[in-house]
Amino acid sequence: MNEDKLERLAARLRGSSRVTILTGAGVSAASGVPTFRGTGGLWRQFRAEDLATPTAFSRDPLLVWEWYAWRRELIAGCRPNPAHEVIARWSRTFNRCMVVTQNVDDLHVKAGTANLVRVHGSLWELSCWVECGALPWRDEAVPLETLPPSCPACGGLARPAVVWFGESLPQHAVAEATEACECEVFLTIGTSAVVYPAAGLVHEARRRGAFTAEINLEPTPASDAVELAIHGPADQLLPDIAKRLTP
Ligand code: BJW
Ligand code: ZN
C-alpha cells in the first residue's frame, strides 16, 4: 500500500521547486537519539514538568543540567542517518527547500543541511539565565567543565539554549518557519505533531495551498489533516523516495 503512496509523493516532488520539511525526534531515532513520546521516549522515564520548564530550572538548576549533560553525552556519539542525509541533499537540490526542525541534537547541521530553521534551539548552545545581554554561545565540551555552567559575561548561571514548555520560540525562527509554509509540498516527518506552535505549521501550509504529506512510524493528529500519510521508518522511506526522484 505504501508503494502507491511513495510513488504519489515522488511524483509531487518531481514537479515542485518549493519544498518545506518539518522534522521531529523520529528523524533522529535511527541515529540512537531517544524520542520524547512513545515506547522508550524520554517522557516515559522523566516528567517534562520536572526538567523542561523554566520553573523546573529555577527550582533545581543542577538537576536539570545533569539531565542535559547526560543527553549531550549520549548524542555526542550519534551520527546522522540516511533520513538526515536525504533531507540534506534535498535542501541543496530543490530550487527552494526549507528545513524546519524541532530537534535540538544538531544532526541536521552535521549532515550539511542548508536553509535550516531550528525552532527549539540546540543542546550544544548555552545562554545566560539572568539575561545579562550576552548572546548565546556554543559549547560542545562533553563532559561540560563545570555543572551547572556559568555565563562567561556576567558569571551568573547559564542554561541550555533550548525552548522549554511555556517559553516563546525565537521570533526569527517562527517568522522563517511561517514563511516556509508558502510552498508547493510540505512534508512533516518523525514528529508526534502535538507540540505547538510547530504542530500548527502543517495546517498553515495546507491553508496556503501546499500539498501536505506525513512520514511517521505511526498515525498522529496530523494524519487526518494531510493529503498523504505514509507510515514507516523515515530512515528507510526517504532513501526510497529519493531513489524514485533520480532518473
Ligand atoms: C518515527 C521514527 C522513525 C519514531 N521514523 N518516525 C494546550 C493546547 C495547545 C498548546 C498548549 C497547550 N498547553 C500548553 C501548550 C503550549 C505547549 C504545547 O504545545 N504543549 C502540548 C504538549 C500540549 N507549547 C509550548 O509551550 C511552546 N511554547 C509556546 O507555545 O509559546 C507560546 C506561549 C508562551 C508563554 C505562555 C503560553 C504560550 C514551547 C514548546 C517547547 C517544546 N520543547 C521540547 C523540549 C526541547 C528541549 C529539549 O530537548 O530538552 O521540544 S518538548 C519536546 O517535544 C521537544 C520536541 O522538539 C517536541 C516535539 O517532539 P517531537 O519531535 O514530535 O518528538 P516525539 O517524541 O513527540 O515524536 C516522535 C515521533 O516520531 C513519534 O510519533 C514516533 O512514532 C515517530 N518515530 N521513530 C519515523 N524511525
Ligand atoms: Zn550573563
PDB file of all heavy atoms in Angstrom, residues 51 57 60-70 72 123 125-127 144 146-149 157-161:
ATOM      1  N   LEU A  51      11.781  18.871  34.292  1.00  0.00           N
ATOM      2  CA  LEU A  51      13.051  19.053  33.585  1.00  0.00           C
ATOM      3  C   LEU A  51      13.021  20.054  32.436  1.00  0.00           C
ATOM      4  O   LEU A  51      14.052  20.608  32.085  1.00  0.00           O
ATOM      5  CB  LEU A  51      13.509  17.690  33.026  1.00  0.00           C
ATOM      6  CG  LEU A  51      13.825  16.643  34.097  1.00  0.00           C
ATOM      7  CD1 LEU A  51      13.856  15.259  33.477  1.00  0.00           C
ATOM      8  CD2 LEU A  51      15.142  16.948  34.788  1.00  0.00           C
ATOM      9  N   PHE A  57      13.781  24.655  36.170  1.00  0.00           N
ATOM     10  CA  PHE A  57      15.178  25.111  36.192  1.00  0.00           C
ATOM     11  C   PHE A  57      15.436  26.034  37.371  1.00  0.00           C
ATOM     12  O   PHE A  57      16.464  25.914  38.043  1.00  0.00           O
ATOM     13  CB  PHE A  57      15.534  25.797  34.869  1.00  0.00           C
ATOM     14  CG  PHE A  57      17.008  26.090  34.738  1.00  0.00           C
ATOM     15  CD1 PHE A  57      17.912  25.063  34.495  1.00  0.00           C
ATOM     16  CD2 PHE A  57      17.487  27.385  34.854  1.00  0.00           C
ATOM     17  CE1 PHE A  57      19.277  25.322  34.376  1.00  0.00           C
ATOM     18  CE2 PHE A  57      18.848  27.657  34.729  1.00  0.00           C
ATOM     19  CZ  PHE A  57      19.747  26.625  34.481  1.00  0.00           C
ATOM     20  N   ASP A  60      15.616  23.802  40.563  1.00  0.00           N
ATOM     21  CA  ASP A  60      16.787  22.933  40.753  1.00  0.00           C
ATOM     22  C   ASP A  60      17.647  22.911  39.486  1.00  0.00           C
ATOM     23  O   ASP A  60      17.611  21.962  38.703  1.00  0.00           O
ATOM     24  CB  ASP A  60      16.298  21.514  41.111  1.00  0.00           C
ATOM     25  CG  ASP A  60      17.404  20.642  41.667  1.00  0.00           C
ATOM     26  OD1 ASP A  60      18.583  20.982  41.456  1.00  0.00           O
ATOM     27  OD2 ASP A  60      17.095  19.624  42.301  1.00  0.00           O
ATOM     28  N   PRO A  61      18.463  23.966  39.292  1.00  0.00           N
ATOM     29  CA  PRO A  61      19.251  24.041  38.061  1.00  0.00           C
ATOM     30  C   PRO A  61      20.223  22.867  37.893  1.00  0.00           C
ATOM     31  O   PRO A  61      20.429  22.403  36.773  1.00  0.00           O
ATOM     32  CB  PRO A  61      20.031  25.359  38.193  1.00  0.00           C
ATOM     33  CG  PRO A  61      19.669  25.959  39.496  1.00  0.00           C
ATOM     34  CD  PRO A  61      18.622  25.143  40.154  1.00  0.00           C
ATOM     35  N   LEU A  62      20.761  22.373  39.004  1.00  0.00           N
ATOM     36  CA  LEU A  62      21.734  21.277  38.884  1.00  0.00           C
ATOM     37  C   LEU A  62      21.062  20.001  38.365  1.00  0.00           C
ATOM     38  O   LEU A  62      21.595  19.331  37.479  1.00  0.00           O
ATOM     39  CB  LEU A  62      22.434  21.028  40.235  1.00  0.00           C
ATOM     40  CG  LEU A  62      23.553  19.978  40.185  1.00  0.00           C
ATOM     41  CD1 LEU A  62      24.635  20.361  39.163  1.00  0.00           C
ATOM     42  CD2 LEU A  62      24.175  19.772  41.559  1.00  0.00           C
ATOM     43  N   LEU A  63      19.891  19.705  38.889  1.00  0.00           N
ATOM     44  CA  LEU A  63      19.148  18.514  38.438  1.00  0.00           C
ATOM     45  C   LEU A  63      18.879  18.604  36.935  1.00  0.00           C
ATOM     46  O   LEU A  63      19.108  17.661  36.178  1.00  0.00           O
ATOM     47  CB  LEU A  63      17.819  18.386  39.198  1.00  0.00           C
ATOM     48  CG  LEU A  63      16.912  17.264  38.716  1.00  0.00           C
ATOM     49  CD1 LEU A  63      17.402  15.909  39.222  1.00  0.00           C
ATOM     50  CD2 LEU A  63      15.460  17.496  39.138  1.00  0.00           C
ATOM     51  N   VAL A  64      18.399  19.775  36.494  1.00  0.00           N
ATOM     52  CA  VAL A  64      18.084  19.960  35.078  1.00  0.00           C
ATOM     53  C   VAL A  64      19.363  19.841  34.252  1.00  0.00           C
ATOM     54  O   VAL A  64      19.397  19.160  33.230  1.00  0.00           O
ATOM     55  CB  VAL A  64      17.377  21.318  34.845  1.00  0.00           C
ATOM     56  CG1 VAL A  64      17.217  21.603  33.357  1.00  0.00           C
ATOM     57  CG2 VAL A  64      16.016  21.322  35.536  1.00  0.00           C
ATOM     58  N   TRP A  65      20.453  20.468  34.730  1.00  0.00           N
ATOM     59  CA  TRP A  65      21.722  20.405  33.999  1.00  0.00           C
ATOM     60  C   TRP A  65      22.267  18.977  33.915  1.00  0.00           C
ATOM     61  O   TRP A  65      22.869  18.588  32.914  1.00  0.00           O
ATOM     62  CB  TRP A  65      22.767  21.356  34.606  1.00  0.00           C
ATOM     63  CG  TRP A  65      22.843  22.635  33.817  1.00  0.00           C
ATOM     64  CD1 TRP A  65      22.573  23.898  34.247  1.00  0.00           C
ATOM     65  CD2 TRP A  65      23.219  22.750  32.438  1.00  0.00           C
ATOM     66  NE1 TRP A  65      22.741  24.801  33.229  1.00  0.00           N
ATOM     67  CE2 TRP A  65      23.139  24.127  32.104  1.00  0.00           C
ATOM     68  CE3 TRP A  65      23.598  21.845  31.452  1.00  0.00           C
ATOM     69  CZ2 TRP A  65      23.438  24.607  30.827  1.00  0.00           C
ATOM     70  CZ3 TRP A  65      23.890  22.323  30.167  1.00  0.00           C
ATOM     71  CH2 TRP A  65      23.811  23.686  29.876  1.00  0.00           C
ATOM     72  N   GLU A  66      22.059  18.187  34.985  1.00  0.00           N
ATOM     73  CA  GLU A  66      22.551  16.802  34.948  1.00  0.00           C
ATOM     74  C   GLU A  66      21.831  16.011  33.858  1.00  0.00           C
ATOM     75  O   GLU A  66      22.431  15.203  33.158  1.00  0.00           O
ATOM     76  CB  GLU A  66      22.370  16.130  36.327  1.00  0.00           C
ATOM     77  CG  GLU A  66      23.483  16.561  37.260  1.00  0.00           C
ATOM     78  CD  GLU A  66      23.255  16.186  38.717  1.00  0.00           C
ATOM     79  OE1 GLU A  66      22.123  15.782  39.072  1.00  0.00           O
ATOM     80  OE2 GLU A  66      24.202  16.332  39.509  1.00  0.00           O
ATOM     81  N   TRP A  67      20.535  16.308  33.703  1.00  0.00           N
ATOM     82  CA  TRP A  67      19.766  15.624  32.662  1.00  0.00           C
ATOM     83  C   TRP A  67      20.262  16.040  31.276  1.00  0.00           C
ATOM     84  O   TRP A  67      20.455  15.207  30.391  1.00  0.00           O
ATOM     85  CB  TRP A  67      18.277  15.955  32.845  1.00  0.00           C
ATOM     86  CG  TRP A  67      17.359  15.194  31.958  1.00  0.00           C
ATOM     87  CD1 TRP A  67      17.158  13.846  31.949  1.00  0.00           C
ATOM     88  CD2 TRP A  67      16.490  15.730  30.947  1.00  0.00           C
ATOM     89  NE1 TRP A  67      16.223  13.510  31.008  1.00  0.00           N
ATOM     90  CE2 TRP A  67      15.792  14.636  30.381  1.00  0.00           C
ATOM     91  CE3 TRP A  67      16.218  17.016  30.474  1.00  0.00           C
ATOM     92  CZ2 TRP A  67      14.846  14.803  29.360  1.00  0.00           C
ATOM     93  CZ3 TRP A  67      15.282  17.173  29.467  1.00  0.00           C
ATOM     94  CH2 TRP A  67      14.611  16.078  28.912  1.00  0.00           C
ATOM     95  N   TYR A  68      20.521  17.337  31.085  1.00  0.00           N
ATOM     96  CA  TYR A  68      21.031  17.804  29.790  1.00  0.00           C
ATOM     97  C   TYR A  68      22.447  17.284  29.535  1.00  0.00           C
ATOM     98  O   TYR A  68      22.794  16.931  28.404  1.00  0.00           O
ATOM     99  CB  TYR A  68      20.945  19.336  29.687  1.00  0.00           C
ATOM    100  CG  TYR A  68      19.542  19.751  29.283  1.00  0.00           C
ATOM    101  CD1 TYR A  68      18.594  20.084  30.244  1.00  0.00           C
ATOM    102  CD2 TYR A  68      19.148  19.719  27.956  1.00  0.00           C
ATOM    103  CE1 TYR A  68      17.297  20.402  29.893  1.00  0.00           C
ATOM    104  CE2 TYR A  68      17.845  20.041  27.583  1.00  0.00           C
ATOM    105  CZ  TYR A  68      16.929  20.370  28.552  1.00  0.00           C
ATOM    106  OH  TYR A  68      15.634  20.664  28.193  1.00  0.00           O
ATOM    107  N   ALA A  69      23.274  17.217  30.590  1.00  0.00           N
ATOM    108  CA  ALA A  69      24.650  16.713  30.426  1.00  0.00           C
ATOM    109  C   ALA A  69      24.608  15.248  29.977  1.00  0.00           C
ATOM    110  O   ALA A  69      25.360  14.840  29.083  1.00  0.00           O
ATOM    111  CB  ALA A  69      25.421  16.859  31.733  1.00  0.00           C
ATOM    112  N   TRP A  70      23.686  14.485  30.554  1.00  0.00           N
ATOM    113  CA  TRP A  70      23.526  13.064  30.173  1.00  0.00           C
ATOM    114  C   TRP A  70      23.112  12.949  28.704  1.00  0.00           C
ATOM    115  O   TRP A  70      23.665  12.162  27.939  1.00  0.00           O
ATOM    116  CB  TRP A  70      22.475  12.408  31.086  1.00  0.00           C
ATOM    117  CG  TRP A  70      22.008  11.074  30.597  1.00  0.00           C
ATOM    118  CD1 TRP A  70      22.737   9.912  30.584  1.00  0.00           C
ATOM    119  CD2 TRP A  70      20.718  10.768  30.032  1.00  0.00           C
ATOM    120  NE1 TRP A  70      21.970   8.893  30.041  1.00  0.00           N
ATOM    121  CE2 TRP A  70      20.737   9.392  29.699  1.00  0.00           C
ATOM    122  CE3 TRP A  70      19.553  11.507  29.785  1.00  0.00           C
ATOM    123  CZ2 TRP A  70      19.628   8.752  29.122  1.00  0.00           C
ATOM    124  CZ3 TRP A  70      18.465  10.869  29.212  1.00  0.00           C
ATOM    125  CH2 TRP A  70      18.503   9.516  28.891  1.00  0.00           C
ATOM    126  N   ARG A  72      23.583  15.220  26.331  1.00  0.00           N
ATOM    127  CA  ARG A  72      24.694  15.683  25.480  1.00  0.00           C
ATOM    128  C   ARG A  72      25.704  14.550  25.274  1.00  0.00           C
ATOM    129  O   ARG A  72      26.189  14.336  24.167  1.00  0.00           O
ATOM    130  CB  ARG A  72      25.369  16.908  26.105  1.00  0.00           C
ATOM    131  CG  ARG A  72      24.571  18.203  25.939  1.00  0.00           C
ATOM    132  CD  ARG A  72      25.092  19.286  26.871  1.00  0.00           C
ATOM    133  NE  ARG A  72      26.486  19.613  26.661  1.00  0.00           N
ATOM    134  CZ  ARG A  72      26.939  20.726  26.053  1.00  0.00           C
ATOM    135  NH1 ARG A  72      26.085  21.630  25.608  1.00  0.00           N
ATOM    136  NH2 ARG A  72      28.226  20.930  25.923  1.00  0.00           N
ATOM    137  N   LEU A 123      20.999  21.778  21.782  1.00  0.00           N
ATOM    138  CA  LEU A 123      21.610  21.254  23.021  1.00  0.00           C
ATOM    139  C   LEU A 123      23.049  21.711  23.160  1.00  0.00           C
ATOM    140  O   LEU A 123      23.617  21.621  24.239  1.00  0.00           O
ATOM    141  CB  LEU A 123      21.665  19.723  22.942  1.00  0.00           C
ATOM    142  CG  LEU A 123      20.535  18.862  23.414  1.00  0.00           C
ATOM    143  CD1 LEU A 123      20.954  17.400  23.294  1.00  0.00           C
ATOM    144  CD2 LEU A 123      20.195  19.169  24.860  1.00  0.00           C
ATOM    145  N   GLU A 125      24.192  24.689  22.475  1.00  0.00           N
ATOM    146  CA  GLU A 125      24.311  26.125  22.747  1.00  0.00           C
ATOM    147  C   GLU A 125      23.810  26.419  24.155  1.00  0.00           C
ATOM    148  O   GLU A 125      22.912  25.756  24.662  1.00  0.00           O
ATOM    149  CB  GLU A 125      23.550  26.927  21.692  1.00  0.00           C
ATOM    150  CG  GLU A 125      24.287  26.886  20.348  1.00  0.00           C
ATOM    151  CD  GLU A 125      23.483  27.456  19.186  1.00  0.00           C
ATOM    152  OE1 GLU A 125      22.536  28.224  19.431  1.00  0.00           O
ATOM    153  OE2 GLU A 125      23.814  27.108  18.046  1.00  0.00           O
ATOM    154  N   LEU A 126      24.388  27.440  24.755  1.00  0.00           N
ATOM    155  CA  LEU A 126      24.026  27.858  26.108  1.00  0.00           C
ATOM    156  C   LEU A 126      23.648  29.334  26.058  1.00  0.00           C
ATOM    157  O   LEU A 126      24.068  30.052  25.135  1.00  0.00           O
ATOM    158  CB  LEU A 126      25.218  27.681  27.066  1.00  0.00           C
ATOM    159  CG  LEU A 126      25.479  26.295  27.681  1.00  0.00           C
ATOM    160  CD1 LEU A 126      25.774  25.240  26.624  1.00  0.00           C
ATOM    161  CD2 LEU A 126      26.637  26.365  28.671  1.00  0.00           C
ATOM    162  N   SER A 127      22.876  29.773  27.032  1.00  0.00           N
ATOM    163  CA  SER A 127      22.590  31.207  27.122  1.00  0.00           C
ATOM    164  C   SER A 127      22.540  31.599  28.589  1.00  0.00           C
ATOM    165  O   SER A 127      22.536  30.740  29.478  1.00  0.00           O
ATOM    166  CB  SER A 127      21.285  31.550  26.396  1.00  0.00           C
ATOM    167  OG  SER A 127      20.211  30.853  26.967  1.00  0.00           O
ATOM    168  N   LEU A 144      30.796  18.734  30.267  1.00  0.00           N
ATOM    169  CA  LEU A 144      30.978  20.177  30.478  1.00  0.00           C
ATOM    170  C   LEU A 144      31.985  20.378  31.609  1.00  0.00           C
ATOM    171  O   LEU A 144      32.089  19.538  32.513  1.00  0.00           O
ATOM    172  CB  LEU A 144      29.644  20.812  30.852  1.00  0.00           C
ATOM    173  CG  LEU A 144      28.708  21.088  29.677  1.00  0.00           C
ATOM    174  CD1 LEU A 144      27.259  21.133  30.135  1.00  0.00           C
ATOM    175  CD2 LEU A 144      29.085  22.385  28.976  1.00  0.00           C
ATOM    176  N   THR A 146      32.136  22.518  34.145  1.00  0.00           N
ATOM    177  CA  THR A 146      31.530  22.598  35.481  1.00  0.00           C
ATOM    178  C   THR A 146      30.019  22.467  35.345  1.00  0.00           C
ATOM    179  O   THR A 146      29.449  22.894  34.352  1.00  0.00           O
ATOM    180  CB  THR A 146      31.788  23.971  36.152  1.00  0.00           C
ATOM    181  OG1 THR A 146      31.467  24.989  35.209  1.00  0.00           O
ATOM    182  CG2 THR A 146      33.203  24.130  36.635  1.00  0.00           C
ATOM    183  N   LEU A 147      29.410  21.914  36.356  1.00  0.00           N
ATOM    184  CA  LEU A 147      27.945  21.805  36.376  1.00  0.00           C
ATOM    185  C   LEU A 147      27.418  22.477  37.639  1.00  0.00           C
ATOM    186  O   LEU A 147      27.887  22.137  38.727  1.00  0.00           O
ATOM    187  CB  LEU A 147      27.510  20.347  36.374  1.00  0.00           C
ATOM    188  CG  LEU A 147      27.282  19.620  35.050  1.00  0.00           C
ATOM    189  CD1 LEU A 147      26.510  18.340  35.276  1.00  0.00           C
ATOM    190  CD2 LEU A 147      26.641  20.473  33.976  1.00  0.00           C
ATOM    191  N   PRO A 148      26.470  23.385  37.613  1.00  0.00           N
ATOM    192  CA  PRO A 148      25.972  23.984  36.389  1.00  0.00           C
ATOM    193  C   PRO A 148      26.987  24.975  35.810  1.00  0.00           C
ATOM    194  O   PRO A 148      27.717  25.614  36.570  1.00  0.00           O
ATOM    195  CB  PRO A 148      24.700  24.712  36.869  1.00  0.00           C
ATOM    196  CG  PRO A 148      24.919  24.980  38.315  1.00  0.00           C
ATOM    197  CD  PRO A 148      25.829  23.927  38.830  1.00  0.00           C
ATOM    198  N   PRO A 149      27.021  25.110  34.477  1.00  0.00           N
ATOM    199  CA  PRO A 149      27.955  26.056  33.856  1.00  0.00           C
ATOM    200  C   PRO A 149      27.537  27.503  34.111  1.00  0.00           C
ATOM    201  O   PRO A 149      26.382  27.764  34.466  1.00  0.00           O
ATOM    202  CB  PRO A 149      27.875  25.728  32.373  1.00  0.00           C
ATOM    203  CG  PRO A 149      26.669  24.904  32.188  1.00  0.00           C
ATOM    204  CD  PRO A 149      26.202  24.401  33.503  1.00  0.00           C
ATOM    205  N   LEU A 157      24.364  32.169  36.307  1.00  0.00           N
ATOM    206  CA  LEU A 157      24.000  30.818  35.875  1.00  0.00           C
ATOM    207  C   LEU A 157      23.723  30.772  34.364  1.00  0.00           C
ATOM    208  O   LEU A 157      23.053  31.656  33.829  1.00  0.00           O
ATOM    209  CB  LEU A 157      22.745  30.422  36.662  1.00  0.00           C
ATOM    210  CG  LEU A 157      22.200  29.006  36.533  1.00  0.00           C
ATOM    211  CD1 LEU A 157      23.233  27.969  36.978  1.00  0.00           C
ATOM    212  CD2 LEU A 157      20.914  28.877  37.357  1.00  0.00           C
ATOM    213  N   ALA A 158      24.248  29.742  33.702  1.00  0.00           N
ATOM    214  CA  ALA A 158      23.925  29.533  32.278  1.00  0.00           C
ATOM    215  C   ALA A 158      22.847  28.462  32.170  1.00  0.00           C
ATOM    216  O   ALA A 158      22.687  27.631  33.069  1.00  0.00           O
ATOM    217  CB  ALA A 158      25.165  29.086  31.524  1.00  0.00           C
ATOM    218  N   ARG A 159      22.112  28.468  31.064  1.00  0.00           N
ATOM    219  CA  ARG A 159      21.066  27.480  30.799  1.00  0.00           C
ATOM    220  C   ARG A 159      21.262  26.892  29.414  1.00  0.00           C
ATOM    221  O   ARG A 159      21.942  27.500  28.568  1.00  0.00           O
ATOM    222  CB  ARG A 159      19.679  28.139  30.883  1.00  0.00           C
ATOM    223  CG  ARG A 159      19.496  29.277  29.868  1.00  0.00           C
ATOM    224  CD  ARG A 159      18.058  29.692  29.726  1.00  0.00           C
ATOM    225  NE  ARG A 159      17.317  28.700  28.938  1.00  0.00           N
ATOM    226  CZ  ARG A 159      16.017  28.717  28.743  1.00  0.00           C
ATOM    227  NH1 ARG A 159      15.287  29.672  29.261  1.00  0.00           N
ATOM    228  NH2 ARG A 159      15.419  27.795  28.015  1.00  0.00           N
ATOM    229  N   PRO A 160      20.669  25.724  29.132  1.00  0.00           N
ATOM    230  CA  PRO A 160      20.718  25.224  27.764  1.00  0.00           C
ATOM    231  C   PRO A 160      19.876  26.153  26.877  1.00  0.00           C
ATOM    232  O   PRO A 160      18.780  26.561  27.281  1.00  0.00           O
ATOM    233  CB  PRO A 160      20.061  23.840  27.861  1.00  0.00           C
ATOM    234  CG  PRO A 160      19.876  23.541  29.319  1.00  0.00           C
ATOM    235  CD  PRO A 160      19.906  24.834  30.050  1.00  0.00           C
ATOM    236  N   ALA A 161      20.391  26.479  25.682  1.00  0.00           N
ATOM    237  CA  ALA A 161      19.651  27.395  24.795  1.00  0.00           C
ATOM    238  C   ALA A 161      18.629  26.601  23.982  1.00  0.00           C
ATOM    239  O   ALA A 161      18.701  26.501  22.754  1.00  0.00           O
ATOM    240  CB  ALA A 161      20.621  28.158  23.898  1.00  0.00           C
TER     241      ALA A 161
END
